Every structure is written in structure tokens, then in C-alpha cells.
Amino acid sequence: MVRTPLTPWERERGERLGALLRAARGGRSMVDVAAAAGLSAETLRKIETGRAPTPAFFTVAALAGTLGLSLDEVATLATPSPGEAADAVA
């Protein structure tokens, strides 16, 4: 199966999601947060570093709940404006 390459906008969204989760995690260890969300620390590491820019909905929902974020906050704060990623490329 060949995966369709991500657009600059999708990559930017993944980077923003990772930064948001890192900030919300604060001083908590990655291992503790991942375990509380039912994930592996490696999965959380990939999301936080942008190597997994499109995690499954339930993964994001589990992390949001563990970190005390609403899904509305996550969607708003992690989503760049439509022209934002294009501006970064130009």
C-alpha cells in the first residue's frame, strides 16, 4: 500500500499538534502520559515530533482527555489557517 504524500498544510497541522501535546504534558513524563492514555511512549514520541502527523481520532481523544484538553481546543490550536502552510513554503 502506497501512502499519499502529506500536503504542507497537513505537515504543519501535525507539527502544531505535537507542540500542543508537548506543552500540555508540561513536566509529566512521556511514559506516564502515554500509559495513562493507553499508548506506547514511542507512539507519543512520534506524534510530538511530527513523525506521525495524522494520528487516529481515538488516539488524539485519549491524549486530550489525559492532558485535560477538550477536542475543540485541540482542533482549534492545532489547525493552521488554509494559507498558513502555503506561506511557509513560498
Side-chain angles (χ1 to χ4, degrees):
M1 179 172 128
V2 176
R3 185 175 180 153
T4 305
L6 297 174
T7 65
W9 185 84
E10 289 168 324
R11 283 193 299 274
E12 173 69 20
R13 184 182 59 191
E15 291 170 7
R16 284 174 173 246
L17 175 62
L20 172 64
L21 295 175
R22 256 191 324 279
R25 183 165 57 84
R28 294 173 67 183
S29 83
M30 187 177 288
V31 172
D32 290 342
V33 170
L39 308 170
S40 70
E42 182 59 22
T43 296
L44 180 54
R45 182 177 293 108
K46 286 179 180 178
I47 294 168
E48 284 190 359
T49 60
R51 290 185 317 167
T54 58
F57 171 79
F58 291 104
T59 299
V60 175
L63 286 167
T66 299
L67 295 170
L69 299 169
S70 74
L71 289 175
D72 285 338
E73 285 177 294
V74 172
T76 300
L77 296 173
T79 303
S81 64
E84 204 167 334
D87 292 342
V89 173

